[in-house]
Amino acid sequence: MTAVLDSAVLDAATLTWQDVCASGDLIPDRGACALVGDQQVALFRLGATDELYALSNHDPFSRANVISRGIVGSRGDVAKVASPMYKQSFDLRTGVCLDDPSVSLPVHLVRERDGRVEVALA
């Protein structure tokens, strides 16, 4: 349902989508981790909007793969996840750290197709 990145700037024909789970496997407002290629990806489904997001699972501050265990919420109008380690918050759309904009997480494309969640590494 949701493409996190602006898919208009990406050539969809060249993307490699990987099936990661059934749509029903994602619990709203909770994270889940998936291994896509050799990268850990943190997946989130927002309960209020049903939007999907995919970010790197690697927290650049603690250097641990924990973002999928973060607390989902909002800061103003921005949907965010707070790292469970040192509590820095990251914008789910862009991956930018809301507490230190010089730091960001890689954001990946995610979509829902035929009841399955698929991710394409950006």
Side-chain angles (χ1 to χ4, degrees):
M1 168 176 193
T2 301
V4 175
L5 299 176
D6 184 0
S7 59
V9 297
L10 298 172
D11 182 1
T14 63
L15 295 174
T16 301
W17 293 93
Q18 181 172 328
D19 179 273
V20 293
C21 66
S23 298
D25 290 343
L26 294 179
I27 300 170
D29 300 325
R30 308 272 312 260
C33 184
L35 187 61
V36 180
D38 63 351
Q39 296 186 39
Q40 289 190 28
V41 175
L43 296 168
F44 300 93
R45 175 188 299 280
L46 296 186
T49 62
D50 210 32
E51 293 175 313
L52 294 172
Y53 297 96
L55 307 167
S56 170
N57 195 40
H58 186 79
D59 179 352
F61 293 98
S62 68
R63 300 181 189 208
N65 292 315
V66 295
I67 295 299
S68 62
R69 294 178 176 217
I71 299 168
V72 175
S74 63
R75 186 177 290 178
D77 294 338
V78 177
K80 59 124 180 147
V81 60
S83 170
M85 298 298 285
Y86 301 127
K87 312 303 183 216
Q88 285 88 3
S89 293
F90 297 90
D91 184 328
L92 286 172
R93 297 168 301 163
T94 64
V96 172
C97 179
L98 300 173
D99 303 302
D100 181 352
S102 69
V103 178
S104 64
L105 300 174
V107 176
H108 306 293
L109 291 171
V110 60
R111 70 182 181 188
E112 194 168 9
R113 187 173 178 186
D114 298 327
R116 304 290 300 176
V117 175
E118 298 176 330
V119 172
L121 297 177

